[in-house]
Amino acid sequence: MNVENTKAQMRKGVLEYCILSILSEDDKYASEILSTLKDAKMLVVEGTIYPLLTRLKNAGLLSYRWEESSSGPPRKYYGLTETGKLFLKELNTTWDELRTAVNVVTNAKKK
C-alpha cells in the first residue's frame, strides 16, 4: 500500500473545507487561495483548484466578481455566498466532531 496515495486522498477530502475557510476571511483570487494552501503544506496544483472553485460556485456556495489588476489581466475574485457561509458553519461543526473522534481513537491506540 502506498502511503503517499493515502495522504493525497486525505488532503483531497478536506480541500473544499480549506478553500471555504480561506474565503471566510475575505474575497480572494485563485492564485491567493493556491498560495495560502501551499503555505499550509497542502500540496495542490492549479489544475485541481479551478475545477473545484467552479463546482463550489455551481453549488451556490461561492460567487465571483472581476476586478482590474495593475499587473496584468483582470482577476476573478471568489467569495462566500450566504449559503456558503451556512455550509461552512456546518462543516466547522462536523470537522470539530470528526477531529475529536479521530483523536479519541488514535490516542487510545497509543496507550
Side-chain angles (χ1 to χ4, degrees):
M1 186 153 189
N2 184 344
V3 72
E4 290 304 318
N5 192 29
T6 301
K7 287 164 45 176
Q9 290 300 315
M10 290 171 79
R11 280 191 297 272
K12 186 177 178 183
V14 297
L15 190 54
E16 277 184 29
Y17 177 49
C18 290
I19 289 172
L20 294 173
S21 294
I22 290 167
L23 293 172
S24 70
E25 300 166 12
D26 199 12
D27 292 358
K28 298 196 181 328
Y29 62 99
S31 293
E32 289 177 309
I33 297 167
L34 200 54
S35 177
T36 301
L37 291 168
K38 285 182 178 180
D39 289 347
K41 307 293 188 245
M42 292 283 292
L43 307 174
V44 181
V45 295
E46 281 186 37
T48 301
I49 196 123
Y50 287 105
L52 185 50
L53 289 170
T54 299
R55 194 174 80 222
L56 292 170
K57 180 188 69 70
N58 291 343
L61 303 178
L62 300 182
S63 61
Y64 70 86
R65 62 181 162 68
W66 288 99
E67 195 170 294
E68 291 297 324
S69 169
S70 59
S71 61
R75 294 178 174 163
K76 187 188 276 190
Y77 280 80
Y78 292 89
L80 293 180
T81 62
E82 286 305 313
T83 302
K85 290 174 186 175
L86 292 172
F87 190 77
L88 177 58
K89 189 175 179 180
E90 287 186 38
L91 289 181
N92 283 330
T93 301
T94 301
W95 179 255
D96 288 341
E97 292 168 352
L98 181 60
R99 181 176 48 209
T100 298
V102 169
N103 285 340
V104 166
V105 171
T106 58
N107 287 334
K109 299 289 184 192
K110 292 178 184 176
K111 293 180 180 180

